[in-house]
Amino acid sequence: MSNAYLTYAAKRLGQAVIVILLAYVFTFVVVSILPGDPITSVLRNPQNGFTEEEIAEIIAAQGLDRPVIVQLWSALSGFLTGDLGISMRSNRPVATLIAEVMPSTLVLASTGLAVALFLAIAVAYGTQVVPKRYGQGLLRGFPSLFLSTPNFVIGLILIHLFGFQLRLFRVIEPDSFWATLFAAITIGIPFSAQIAEVLIANLDREAEQEYAAVARSRGIGQARLFAQHLLKPASLPVVTVIAITVGELIGNSLITETVFGRTGLGSLVQRSVSTQDLPVLQAIVSLGAVVFVLVNLIADLLYPLLDPRVNILRGQKRRPGSADDISSAKAVTP
């Protein structure tokens, strides 16, 4: 591994840390100025049954009686050490609450990503091997259809068709295999559209290159040409697309959890917003920012390894996977 790459990796890592810290500060400020008083809505709610002495103790323990700048410094220090605070609603550590629901969300998001990649590759493959007179144009229109359909609409259709009509899964068992699969399909369909659009455009570009014409002249079929020569160079920009849209994948996961009644980060966010549980809300939003930054960092570090023609190691300021990079991704002539 070259010194140039290590220098580049260290620089990107430092930038990622700065972005995460700034995102946490921004989130803290935004959450702090939200309308409403969490002390009144949570602690002084008659249904919770807190006495004034207990409320005073909770306020002191949460540090809500201190100046905002002091609260920010305390919260940021705890965030850096893994201490996410105590939930105002349940009086439990926020890290514990997140750890209890995180596995469900990770399973759903990762399965949704796998479904999206499968759909995108399948549609892109069809656009290369299906003749125009047999529906290639229809396949090229699928990404636009997928992208224009809200994921909650897809989820409701799948629940009605496969849950109530075909009884393939029970709605009251949202964590079962089939329920998880259809929830992942709900996420994967819209997410696959953006991947498929980029993949199809790059496949069309690669198919016009000289090496593709040479391969065809040797009698290589379209399916073999796609698998052995076109797919790899055309799929390099997909890394960047996934990194850029990972926030959308996480957001769709939270919405889909609500539609399918799954217990995950989505339900935790919903409860935190309704009760203005600021420590939990702050932690989840910050966690989303951390995931987004880390995924983009991984993409930036992988791109020069996957495509050595990227000139970022020579001091170019252009981000790998930008519009120029995507349009210039070319395959090495076999």
Side-chain angles (χ1 to χ4, degrees):
M1 188 173 294
S2 65
N3 292 331
Y5 180 81
L6 293 177
T7 301
Y8 166 75
K11 180 179 179 181
R12 288 293 297 117
L13 180 61
Q15 292 173 347
V17 172
I18 294 175
V19 171
I20 290 174
L21 294 178
L22 291 177
Y24 186 87
V25 173
F26 178 77
T27 304
F28 182 90
V29 173
V30 171
V31 171
S32 298
I33 64 177
L34 286 176
D37 181 6
I39 297 177
T40 300
S41 61
V42 178
L43 301 181
R44 289 197 169 92
N45 189 331
Q47 295 180 352
N48 293 327
F50 290 116
T51 65
E52 287 298 326
E53 292 76 12
E54 292 173 333
I55 292 176
E57 292 178 0
I58 295 175
I59 291 176
Q62 295 280 354
L64 298 177
D65 55 347
R66 294 178 292 179
V68 175
I69 189 64
V70 177
Q71 295 182 41
L72 173 59
W73 176 254
S74 177
L76 185 58
S77 301
F79 176 72
L80 294 176
T81 59
D83 181 9
L84 302 179
I86 304 297
S87 169
M88 296 177 61
R89 181 176 181 270
S90 62
N91 199 31
R92 298 177 61 196
V94 175
T96 301
L97 295 176
I98 294 178
E100 291 176 349
V101 299
M102 178 65 75
S104 176
T105 300
L106 289 179
V107 169
L108 181 60
S110 58
T111 308
L113 177 59
V115 170
L117 290 174
F118 174 79
L119 290 176
I121 293 175
V123 172
Y125 175 79
T127 62
Q128 299 301 309
V129 301
V130 175
K132 291 184 179 180
R133 64 180 180 273
Y134 291 134
Q136 184 186 120
L138 179 62
L139 287 174
R140 291 180 179 273
F142 276 5
S144 298
L145 175 63
F146 292 166
L147 191 61
S148 62
T149 307
N151 68 316
F152 70 88
V153 173
I154 298 174
L156 293 175
I157 293 175
L158 293 179
I159 290 174
H160 176 75
L161 180 60
F162 294 98
F164 292 111
Q165 298 297 325
L166 300 180
R167 301 185 182 277
L168 195 57
F169 68 93
R170 301 178 65 186
V171 179
I172 61 175
E173 297 178 356
D175 295 325
S176 65
F177 171 80
W178 288 109
T180 301
L181 177 61
F182 285 112
I185 293 174
T186 301
I187 299 173
I189 288 178
F191 192 66
S192 67
Q194 302 172 65
I195 300 175
E197 287 283 4
V198 174
L199 191 56
I200 291 171
N202 282 274
L203 283 171
D204 291 342
R205 188 176 297 109
E206 295 297 328
E208 297 175 355
Q209 302 304 311
E210 291 183 4
Y211 76 87
V214 172
R216 293 190 191 95
S217 68
R218 294 176 179 174
I220 295 179
Q222 193 67 20
R224 184 180 172 188
L225 177 66
F226 171 86
Q228 295 185 358
H229 300 286
L230 299 181
L231 182 59
K232 182 178 178 180
S235 62
L236 288 175
V238 172
V239 176
T240 300
V241 173
I242 293 175
I244 293 174
T245 57
V246 67
E248 179 181 342
L249 177 66
I250 296 175
N252 287 345
S253 298
L254 303 185
I255 296 173
T256 303
E257 285 177 348
T258 302
V259 173
F260 280 80
R262 295 174 61 90
T263 300
L265 284 178
S267 58
L268 187 58
V269 168
Q270 186 180 22
R271 292 196 306 266
S272 301
V273 171
S274 62
T275 61
Q276 291 188 326
D277 197 344
L278 298 188
V280 178
L281 189 59
Q282 168 78 22
I284 293 177
V285 175
S286 301
L287 180 63
V290 170
V291 171
F292 181 82
V293 172
L294 289 181
V295 171
N296 278 270
L297 173 63
I298 293 173
D300 284 343
L301 297 181
L302 283 178
Y303 210 90
L305 298 178
L306 295 174
D307 188 357
R309 292 157 298 178
V310 178
N311 294 321
I312 57 171
L313 302 183
R314 300 177 183 175
Q316 264 195 353
K317 295 183 179 180
R318 187 177 65 196
R319 182 185 187 275
S322 63
D324 293 336
D325 288 326
I326 293 176
S327 63
S328 63
K330 305 297 181 183
V332 178
T333 302

